[in-house]
Amino acid sequence: MTTQTDATAPTESATTATDPTAPSPRALRVLALCGFPLLAACLVVTAVLGLTDAIEGNGVGGGFLTAGFWSLVLGAVAGAAALAVPRRALVAAQYALAFAGPVLAALD
């Protein structure tokens, strides 16, 4: 009994090879670590926007302000996860969530 190999299936060595253009785990960890000061700066901007809205507005924070603060919390969680398990998607999520915090607070 003979078995046929599929010519279109990737070989085992091709699937286990690493991408030479992919960032190293050390570089991803450094980027994730640099994201924490960015999160702190975005936290300050979000708080300033919330306080400005409270003084000039009706004194009540809206849903977008709350979503902005939660975005920063989730960004910190993504950053901590990227430090533990360096993945490009986690670092990108950390930075995207950091920038989303002040944007959402500005919408309020």
Side-chain angles (χ1 to χ4, degrees):
M1 181 176 228
T2 62
T3 59
Q4 293 180 343
T5 60
D6 189 7
T8 60
T11 62
E12 185 176 333
S13 63
T15 58
T16 59
T18 59
D19 185 11
T21 60
S24 68
R26 174 181 247 172
L28 288 172
R29 283 190 173 112
V30 168
L31 282 173
L33 194 60
C34 291
F36 285 107
L38 174 69
L39 280 165
C42 289
L43 176 66
V44 170
V45 171
T46 304
V48 166
L49 288 171
L51 290 173
T52 303
D53 185 46
I55 292 170
E56 294 175 354
N58 60 0
V60 178
F64 282 117
L65 181 63
T66 304
F69 282 117
W70 273 108
S71 172
L72 295 173
V73 169
L74 292 175
V77 169
L83 284 174
V85 182
R87 297 285 186 257
R88 192 181 324 184
L90 288 172
V91 174
Q94 178 188 15
Y95 279 83
L97 288 167
F99 289 122
V103 170
L104 287 170
L107 291 175
D108 191 26

